[in-house]
Amino acid sequence: MTSPANSRLDAALLAGMPVLFVALWSTGFIGAKFGLPHAEPFTFLSIRFVLTLALLIPLVKVMGGTWPSSWRLRGHIAVSGLLVHAAYLGGVFYGIYLGMPAGLTALLVGLQPLLTATLAGPLLGERISAVQWLGLALGLAGITLVLGSKLDPSTASFQGFGLAALACVLVALAGITLGTLYQKRFCTGMPLLSGTVVQYLAAGMLLGLGALLLEERHVEWTPTFILTLGWLVLVLSIAAILLLMALIRRGEASRVASLFYLVPPVTALQAWWLFDERLPPAALVGMAITIVGVVLAARGQARR
């Protein structure tokens, strides 16, 4: 029989797990900022995926996980992995590599729930509500306020980064948005752990090819790089996935989804503390407006 003290402890742990998950997830942008001075983006990500798979594949067997039921499903999962991991992480890492601030990167790719809710209408036959249209308008207004006149091609710069960095992050945003929709449409019944292995395999192969063709593949194995790589592999790619599995089993996935809206401001705070990345007051107001827009769009979809 469970004592009241143990019950309260379990409830506190359950309440804190979604917050912990989002706090860990936001450090991915910071990890990119720490590691990219020591390795090129595709090379960095290829090493990360190889090490992650070396740990994750045995973990599937230890935990008694099942593999996707058919080769057709595995193919769909692989395609979603190319979008959700290769395009998303490749775009984020290359954008930061080219000088995009980590906080602004998190904000731009944080538009994913807004775009997903909007594109679900024409692509999945879902009706777009008035609340979602309001969220879209607020999101676009907030992003415009954040970027301001720096979107002017004649200036081609924003705090040290050019239009190429912005294009990379927009590719990441498109990848995570289309990957989410593709996975929702074609990957029903995907086992989370083994499905993630298939996604990582597909993404790792593509990023590895990119490293072979486009990069010099030089790595500075400094303590900073090794610690950053260890954090991204063990904490982000392994522990965060296991934590997400536990949350889904306990029915807490919706709370994680709502807390994802805090990732951009949490990342911005971390980047300010660690790298002195600063956004002007107008950009901070734009960030707040954008987050409100994303929340409205995603909740409008969830209610339906």
Side-chain angles (χ1 to χ4, degrees):
M1 183 174 180
T2 304
S3 67
N6 288 336
S7 298
R8 287 193 295 270
L9 178 60
D10 291 342
L13 290 174
L14 183 59
M17 285 168 64
V19 179
L20 175 62
F21 175 82
V22 174
L24 294 178
W25 197 258
S26 65
T27 64
F29 302 94
I30 304 302
K33 189 84 172 179
F34 270 118
L36 286 170
H38 308 284
E40 295 163 292
F42 291 163
T43 300
F44 188 0
L45 287 169
S46 298
I47 297 172
R48 173 182 172 180
F49 279 127
V50 168
L51 294 177
T52 300
L53 287 168
L55 297 172
L56 203 55
I57 292 174
L59 194 60
V60 175
K61 185 173 182 61
V62 169
M63 297 185 66
T66 60
W67 291 92
S69 57
S70 66
W71 283 106
R72 182 182 180 86
L73 178 58
R74 292 170 192 170
H76 284 309
I77 294 173
V79 172
S80 71
L82 293 177
L83 293 168
V84 170
H85 296 295
Y88 169 66
L89 288 176
V92 165
F93 273 58
Y94 243 104
I96 294 176
Y97 179 71
L98 295 175
M100 176 77 80
L104 184 56
T105 302
L107 176 64
L108 288 172
V109 297
L111 292 172
Q112 178 263 326
L114 186 151
L115 289 183
T116 301
T118 304
L119 293 176
L123 296 181
L124 300 180
E126 297 181 1
R127 184 179 60 84
I128 302 175
S129 67
V131 173
Q132 287 176 272
W133 283 119
L134 176 60
L136 176 61
L138 287 175
L140 293 177
I143 273 298
T144 302
L145 190 58
V146 171
L147 295 178
S149 62
K150 303 304 180 180
L151 284 175
D152 183 357
S154 64
T155 61
S157 65
F158 180 82
Q159 295 184 352
F161 73 83
L163 291 179
L166 180 60
C168 288
V169 177
L170 293 179
V171 168
L173 174 59
I176 190 66
T177 301
L178 295 176
T180 299
L181 292 169
Y182 188 94
Q183 185 166 319
K184 181 177 180 180
R185 175 67 177 83
F186 296 106
C187 301
T188 303
M190 164 185 147
L192 181 58
L193 196 58
S194 61
T196 300
V197 169
V198 176
Q199 288 183 328
Y200 283 174
L201 279 170
M205 291 174 65
L206 181 60
L207 292 169
L209 181 62
L212 286 172
L213 297 178
L214 303 174
E215 298 178 347
E216 297 180 359
R217 301 174 301 284
H218 173 69
V219 179
E220 298 175 358
W221 292 96
T222 63
T224 297
F225 180 76
I226 293 172
L227 290 173
T228 300
L229 184 62
W231 178 272
L232 293 177
V233 170
L234 296 173
V235 177
L236 275 244
S237 297
I238 302 294
I241 288 294
L242 295 177
L243 185 56
L244 180 60
M245 289 179 64
L247 290 167
I248 290 174
R249 285 199 188 100
R250 293 172 176 264
E252 292 292 310
S254 60
R255 186 179 299 183
V256 173
S258 64
L259 288 175
F260 259 115
Y261 310 133
L262 298 177
V263 169
V266 169
T267 302
L269 286 173
Q270 293 171 347
W272 167 74
W273 178 48
L274 294 169
F275 307 113
D276 199 31
E277 287 186 4
R278 298 178 182 271
L279 292 174
L284 296 176
V285 173
M287 177 181 288
I289 294 174
T290 300
I291 293 170
V292 171
V294 171
V295 171
L296 288 176
R299 288 189 175 178
Q301 184 185 37
R303 278 198 296 267
R304 293 184 289 107

PDB file of all heavy atoms in Angstrom, residues 1-24:
ATOM      1  N   MET A   1       0.841  -1.193   0.000  1.00  0.00           N
ATOM      2  CA  MET A   1       0.000   0.000   0.000  1.00  0.00           C
ATOM      3  C   MET A   1       0.884   1.253   0.000  1.00  0.00           C
ATOM      4  O   MET A   1       1.851   1.355   0.741  1.00  0.00           O
ATOM      5  CB  MET A   1      -0.908   0.013   1.234  1.00  0.00           C
ATOM      6  CG  MET A   1      -1.872   1.192   1.269  1.00  0.00           C
ATOM      7  SD  MET A   1      -3.013   1.042   2.665  1.00  0.00           S
ATOM      8  CE  MET A   1      -3.972   2.529   2.441  1.00  0.00           C
ATOM      9  N   THR A   2       0.569   2.198  -0.883  1.00  0.00           N
ATOM     10  CA  THR A   2       1.372   3.406  -1.032  1.00  0.00           C
ATOM     11  C   THR A   2       1.029   4.413   0.049  1.00  0.00           C
ATOM     12  O   THR A   2      -0.140   4.720   0.289  1.00  0.00           O
ATOM     13  CB  THR A   2       1.134   4.045  -2.405  1.00  0.00           C
ATOM     14  OG1 THR A   2       1.404   3.072  -3.418  1.00  0.00           O
ATOM     15  CG2 THR A   2       2.058   5.234  -2.605  1.00  0.00           C
ATOM     16  N   SER A   3       2.045   4.940   0.736  1.00  0.00           N
ATOM     17  CA  SER A   3       1.822   5.922   1.780  1.00  0.00           C
ATOM     18  C   SER A   3       1.498   7.282   1.166  1.00  0.00           C
ATOM     19  O   SER A   3       1.847   7.552   0.020  1.00  0.00           O
ATOM     20  CB  SER A   3       3.071   6.042   2.654  1.00  0.00           C
ATOM     21  OG  SER A   3       4.134   6.597   1.920  1.00  0.00           O
ATOM     22  N   PRO A   4       0.820   8.165   1.941  1.00  0.00           N
ATOM     23  CA  PRO A   4       0.536   9.518   1.427  1.00  0.00           C
ATOM     24  C   PRO A   4       1.796  10.273   1.035  1.00  0.00           C
ATOM     25  O   PRO A   4       1.794  11.024   0.047  1.00  0.00           O
ATOM     26  CB  PRO A   4      -0.188  10.179   2.601  1.00  0.00           C
ATOM     27  CG  PRO A   4      -0.781   9.047   3.376  1.00  0.00           C
ATOM     28  CD  PRO A   4       0.181   7.924   3.246  1.00  0.00           C
ATOM     29  N   ALA A   5       2.881  10.090   1.799  1.00  0.00           N
ATOM     30  CA  ALA A   5       4.125  10.786   1.473  1.00  0.00           C
ATOM     31  C   ALA A   5       4.666  10.343   0.118  1.00  0.00           C
ATOM     32  O   ALA A   5       5.102  11.161  -0.693  1.00  0.00           O
ATOM     33  CB  ALA A   5       5.166  10.545   2.565  1.00  0.00           C
ATOM     34  N   ASN A   6       4.620   9.014  -0.131  1.00  0.00           N
ATOM     35  CA  ASN A   6       5.090   8.508  -1.418  1.00  0.00           C
ATOM     36  C   ASN A   6       4.196   8.984  -2.554  1.00  0.00           C
ATOM     37  O   ASN A   6       4.674   9.272  -3.652  1.00  0.00           O
ATOM     38  CB  ASN A   6       5.146   6.984  -1.404  1.00  0.00           C
ATOM     39  CG  ASN A   6       6.284   6.462  -0.547  1.00  0.00           C
ATOM     40  OD1 ASN A   6       7.274   7.163  -0.329  1.00  0.00           O
ATOM     41  ND2 ASN A   6       6.142   5.238  -0.054  1.00  0.00           N
ATOM     42  N   SER A   7       2.907   9.057  -2.300  1.00  0.00           N
ATOM     43  CA  SER A   7       1.978   9.534  -3.331  1.00  0.00           C
ATOM     44  C   SER A   7       2.267  10.985  -3.691  1.00  0.00           C
ATOM     45  O   SER A   7       2.241  11.371  -4.862  1.00  0.00           O
ATOM     46  CB  SER A   7       0.537   9.390  -2.845  1.00  0.00           C
ATOM     47  OG  SER A   7       0.216   8.033  -2.609  1.00  0.00           O
ATOM     48  N   ARG A   8       2.528  11.808  -2.670  1.00  0.00           N
ATOM     49  CA  ARG A   8       2.858  13.208  -2.932  1.00  0.00           C
ATOM     50  C   ARG A   8       4.164  13.337  -3.697  1.00  0.00           C
ATOM     51  O   ARG A   8       4.306  14.179  -4.585  1.00  0.00           O
ATOM     52  CB  ARG A   8       2.933  13.986  -1.616  1.00  0.00           C
ATOM     53  CG  ARG A   8       1.568  14.246  -0.969  1.00  0.00           C
ATOM     54  CD  ARG A   8       1.681  15.280   0.137  1.00  0.00           C
ATOM     55  NE  ARG A   8       2.500  14.790   1.241  1.00  0.00           N
ATOM     56  CZ  ARG A   8       2.035  14.133   2.281  1.00  0.00           C
ATOM     57  NH1 ARG A   8       0.738  13.837   2.367  1.00  0.00           N
ATOM     58  NH2 ARG A   8       2.847  13.735   3.254  1.00  0.00           N
ATOM     59  N   LEU A   9       5.133  12.474  -3.360  1.00  0.00           N
ATOM     60  CA  LEU A   9       6.416  12.505  -4.059  1.00  0.00           C
ATOM     61  C   LEU A   9       6.236  12.112  -5.528  1.00  0.00           C
ATOM     62  O   LEU A   9       6.793  12.752  -6.428  1.00  0.00           O
ATOM     63  CB  LEU A   9       7.412  11.568  -3.384  1.00  0.00           C
ATOM     64  CG  LEU A   9       8.796  11.449  -4.034  1.00  0.00           C
ATOM     65  CD1 LEU A   9       9.484  12.815  -4.065  1.00  0.00           C
ATOM     66  CD2 LEU A   9       9.653  10.427  -3.293  1.00  0.00           C
ATOM     67  N   ASP A  10       5.438  11.064  -5.772  1.00  0.00           N
ATOM     68  CA  ASP A  10       5.178  10.643  -7.147  1.00  0.00           C
ATOM     69  C   ASP A  10       4.481  11.748  -7.935  1.00  0.00           C
ATOM     70  O   ASP A  10       4.803  11.994  -9.106  1.00  0.00           O
ATOM     71  CB  ASP A  10       4.317   9.376  -7.163  1.00  0.00           C
ATOM     72  CG  ASP A  10       5.071   8.160  -6.655  1.00  0.00           C
ATOM     73  OD1 ASP A  10       6.319   8.225  -6.625  1.00  0.00           O
ATOM     74  OD2 ASP A  10       4.417   7.171  -6.279  1.00  0.00           O
ATOM     75  N   ALA A  11       3.520  12.426  -7.289  1.00  0.00           N
ATOM     76  CA  ALA A  11       2.807  13.509  -7.973  1.00  0.00           C
ATOM     77  C   ALA A  11       3.754  14.661  -8.296  1.00  0.00           C
ATOM     78  O   ALA A  11       3.672  15.260  -9.379  1.00  0.00           O
ATOM     79  CB  ALA A  11       1.657  14.008  -7.104  1.00  0.00           C
ATOM     80  N   ALA A  12       4.666  14.976  -7.371  1.00  0.00           N
ATOM     81  CA  ALA A  12       5.626  16.059  -7.610  1.00  0.00           C
ATOM     82  C   ALA A  12       6.576  15.705  -8.744  1.00  0.00           C
ATOM     83  O   ALA A  12       6.893  16.545  -9.600  1.00  0.00           O
ATOM     84  CB  ALA A  12       6.405  16.349  -6.334  1.00  0.00           C
ATOM     85  N   LEU A  13       7.032  14.449  -8.764  1.00  0.00           N
ATOM     86  CA  LEU A  13       7.917  14.013  -9.842  1.00  0.00           C
ATOM     87  C   LEU A  13       7.213  14.061 -11.188  1.00  0.00           C
ATOM     88  O   LEU A  13       7.783  14.494 -12.192  1.00  0.00           O
ATOM     89  CB  LEU A  13       8.433  12.596  -9.555  1.00  0.00           C
ATOM     90  CG  LEU A  13       9.419  12.451  -8.391  1.00  0.00           C
ATOM     91  CD1 LEU A  13       9.738  10.981  -8.135  1.00  0.00           C
ATOM     92  CD2 LEU A  13      10.709  13.225  -8.680  1.00  0.00           C
ATOM     93  N   LEU A  14       5.960  13.614 -11.223  1.00  0.00           N
ATOM     94  CA  LEU A  14       5.193  13.620 -12.460  1.00  0.00           C
ATOM     95  C   LEU A  14       4.978  15.047 -12.957  1.00  0.00           C
ATOM     96  O   LEU A  14       5.074  15.327 -14.157  1.00  0.00           O
ATOM     97  CB  LEU A  14       3.845  12.932 -12.253  1.00  0.00           C
ATOM     98  CG  LEU A  14       2.939  12.799 -13.493  1.00  0.00           C
ATOM     99  CD1 LEU A  14       3.642  12.019 -14.588  1.00  0.00           C
ATOM    100  CD2 LEU A  14       1.630  12.124 -13.117  1.00  0.00           C
ATOM    101  N   ALA A  15       4.707  15.973 -12.026  1.00  0.00           N
ATOM    102  CA  ALA A  15       4.490  17.369 -12.413  1.00  0.00           C
ATOM    103  C   ALA A  15       5.776  18.003 -12.927  1.00  0.00           C
ATOM    104  O   ALA A  15       5.739  18.879 -13.803  1.00  0.00           O
ATOM    105  CB  ALA A  15       3.950  18.158 -11.226  1.00  0.00           C
ATOM    106  N   GLY A  16       6.913  17.569 -12.397  1.00  0.00           N
ATOM    107  CA  GLY A  16       8.177  18.171 -12.802  1.00  0.00           C
ATOM    108  C   GLY A  16       8.774  17.591 -14.059  1.00  0.00           C
ATOM    109  O   GLY A  16       9.639  18.226 -14.687  1.00  0.00           O
ATOM    110  N   MET A  17       8.337  16.388 -14.472  1.00  0.00           N
ATOM    111  CA  MET A  17       8.934  15.742 -15.635  1.00  0.00           C
ATOM    112  C   MET A  17       8.766  16.535 -16.929  1.00  0.00           C
ATOM    113  O   MET A  17       9.731  16.681 -17.696  1.00  0.00           O
ATOM    114  CB  MET A  17       8.382  14.319 -15.783  1.00  0.00           C
ATOM    115  CG  MET A  17       8.960  13.338 -14.770  1.00  0.00           C
ATOM    116  SD  MET A  17       8.060  11.763 -14.704  1.00  0.00           S
ATOM    117  CE  MET A  17       8.340  11.113 -16.361  1.00  0.00           C
ATOM    118  N   PRO A  18       7.585  17.083 -17.238  1.00  0.00           N
ATOM    119  CA  PRO A  18       7.471  17.879 -18.469  1.00  0.00           C
ATOM    120  C   PRO A  18       8.369  19.105 -18.457  1.00  0.00           C
ATOM    121  O   PRO A  18       8.963  19.463 -19.479  1.00  0.00           O
ATOM    122  CB  PRO A  18       5.987  18.275 -18.502  1.00  0.00           C
ATOM    123  CG  PRO A  18       5.302  17.251 -17.665  1.00  0.00           C
ATOM    124  CD  PRO A  18       6.268  16.915 -16.583  1.00  0.00           C
ATOM    125  N   VAL A  19       8.475  19.771 -17.297  1.00  0.00           N
ATOM    126  CA  VAL A  19       9.338  20.941 -17.194  1.00  0.00           C
ATOM    127  C   VAL A  19      10.793  20.545 -17.438  1.00  0.00           C
ATOM    128  O   VAL A  19      11.543  21.228 -18.148  1.00  0.00           O
ATOM    129  CB  VAL A  19       9.181  21.605 -15.817  1.00  0.00           C
ATOM    130  CG1 VAL A  19      10.106  22.817 -15.691  1.00  0.00           C
ATOM    131  CG2 VAL A  19       7.734  22.018 -15.588  1.00  0.00           C
ATOM    132  N   LEU A  20      11.202  19.415 -16.855  1.00  0.00           N
ATOM    133  CA  LEU A  20      12.560  18.929 -17.043  1.00  0.00           C
ATOM    134  C   LEU A  20      12.823  18.607 -18.512  1.00  0.00           C
ATOM    135  O   LEU A  20      13.880  18.949 -19.061  1.00  0.00           O
ATOM    136  CB  LEU A  20      12.794  17.682 -16.183  1.00  0.00           C
ATOM    137  CG  LEU A  20      14.144  16.979 -16.363  1.00  0.00           C
ATOM    138  CD1 LEU A  20      15.287  17.910 -15.977  1.00  0.00           C
ATOM    139  CD2 LEU A  20      14.189  15.690 -15.535  1.00  0.00           C
ATOM    140  N   PHE A  21      11.851  17.966 -19.161  1.00  0.00           N
ATOM    141  CA  PHE A  21      12.015  17.607 -20.570  1.00  0.00           C
ATOM    142  C   PHE A  21      12.263  18.852 -21.422  1.00  0.00           C
ATOM    143  O   PHE A  21      13.182  18.897 -22.243  1.00  0.00           O
ATOM    144  CB  PHE A  21      10.779  16.861 -21.075  1.00  0.00           C
ATOM    145  CG  PHE A  21      10.830  16.558 -22.556  1.00  0.00           C
ATOM    146  CD1 PHE A  21      11.535  15.464 -23.015  1.00  0.00           C
ATOM    147  CD2 PHE A  21      10.179  17.367 -23.472  1.00  0.00           C
ATOM    148  CE1 PHE A  21      11.598  15.181 -24.378  1.00  0.00           C
ATOM    149  CE2 PHE A  21      10.229  17.102 -24.823  1.00  0.00           C
ATOM    150  CZ  PHE A  21      10.938  16.003 -25.279  1.00  0.00           C
ATOM    151  N   VAL A  22      11.436  19.889 -21.250  1.00  0.00           N
ATOM    152  CA  VAL A  22      11.569  21.102 -22.055  1.00  0.00           C
ATOM    153  C   VAL A  22      12.868  21.832 -21.723  1.00  0.00           C
ATOM    154  O   VAL A  22      13.533  22.384 -22.609  1.00  0.00           O
ATOM    155  CB  VAL A  22      10.344  22.013 -21.867  1.00  0.00           C
ATOM    156  CG1 VAL A  22      10.539  23.344 -22.575  1.00  0.00           C
ATOM    157  CG2 VAL A  22       9.098  21.322 -22.402  1.00  0.00           C
ATOM    158  N   ALA A  23      13.248  21.843 -20.437  1.00  0.00           N
ATOM    159  CA  ALA A  23      14.507  22.487 -20.050  1.00  0.00           C
ATOM    160  C   ALA A  23      15.694  21.799 -20.720  1.00  0.00           C
ATOM    161  O   ALA A  23      16.625  22.457 -21.209  1.00  0.00           O
ATOM    162  CB  ALA A  23      14.663  22.456 -18.538  1.00  0.00           C
ATOM    163  N   LEU A  24      15.658  20.468 -20.771  1.00  0.00           N
ATOM    164  CA  LEU A  24      16.727  19.735 -21.445  1.00  0.00           C
ATOM    165  C   LEU A  24      16.705  19.996 -22.942  1.00  0.00           C
ATOM    166  O   LEU A  24      17.745  20.186 -23.576  1.00  0.00           O
ATOM    167  CB  LEU A  24      16.596  18.236 -21.162  1.00  0.00           C
ATOM    168  CG  LEU A  24      16.804  17.778 -19.720  1.00  0.00           C
ATOM    169  CD1 LEU A  24      16.585  16.281 -19.597  1.00  0.00           C
ATOM    170  CD2 LEU A  24      18.184  18.162 -19.217  1.00  0.00           C
TER     171      LEU A  24
END
